[in-house]
Amino acid sequence: MPKIAYFDCFSGCSGDMILGALLDAGFPLDVLRSGLSSLDFHGYELSVEKVIRASISASKFNVNVDTSVHQHQRSLNDILGLIESSRLSAAVKQTAGAVFQRLGEVEAGIHGVDIQEVHFHEIGAVDSIVDIVGSVLAFEWMGIDRFFSSPLPMGSGTVKTAHGTLPVPAPATLALLKMAGAPVEQPKPGMPQGELLTPTGAALVTSLASF
């Protein structure tokens, strides 16, 4: 019997939401910490806290970056090198690298630069590395054979980024959705504005899931 994961993204999807759900479903935080420790980057702490959302218990995953530790901008090749030189399994390396490659391709297209010129900004790079590598590691550890997702909500309004204020969905998110032909849900009347689907969340789901 194949083991299947289904994500009901009724309120969006981000890297930390994916990891929080996987930790809530039984992926041990110690295994996550151990796997990420084989990557040659530092200056962050991981934590999980139990929260109540709409009267439902959930696990909120946090990446706390130590601002006293310098985090330089990392190119796509820098991140792929970090993953490749780690002690992670060959399958995790390949899958996590493919997710970053997809994210790098859309960022290069949006900014009109060669993919080798794409850089992931400081703290955002730490979050993305933890979320992407950690999620792929969790899928392997949990023995998940297939991953399905509901349609992805678009959100609305604007979001502040390292590049300035951008429309929601962010351009990278839209490009990832288009690349995968992913089904989406338009904002419903009366819903508050805000970003529901982040580029990291979109990269993970559009790379790994079937709809």
Side-chain angles (χ1 to χ4, degrees), residues 10-11 16-17 49-62:
F10 73 96
S11 188
D16 62 304
M17 290 167 72
E49 58 180 312
K50 281 293 182 182
V51 297
I52 301 294
R53 296 290 186 266
S55 299
I56 297 173
S57 173
S59 292
K60 186 176 187 302
F61 175 68
N62 302 298

Side-chain angles (χ1 to χ4, degrees), residues 106-130:
V106 300
E107 292 283 2
I110 288 164
H111 299 300
V113 299
D114 187 87
I115 192 168
Q116 304 306 327
E117 297 177 53
V118 172
H119 283 78
F120 294 83
H121 294 274
E122 295 93 4
I123 292 174
V126 174
D127 281 339
S128 296
I129 293 167
V130 169

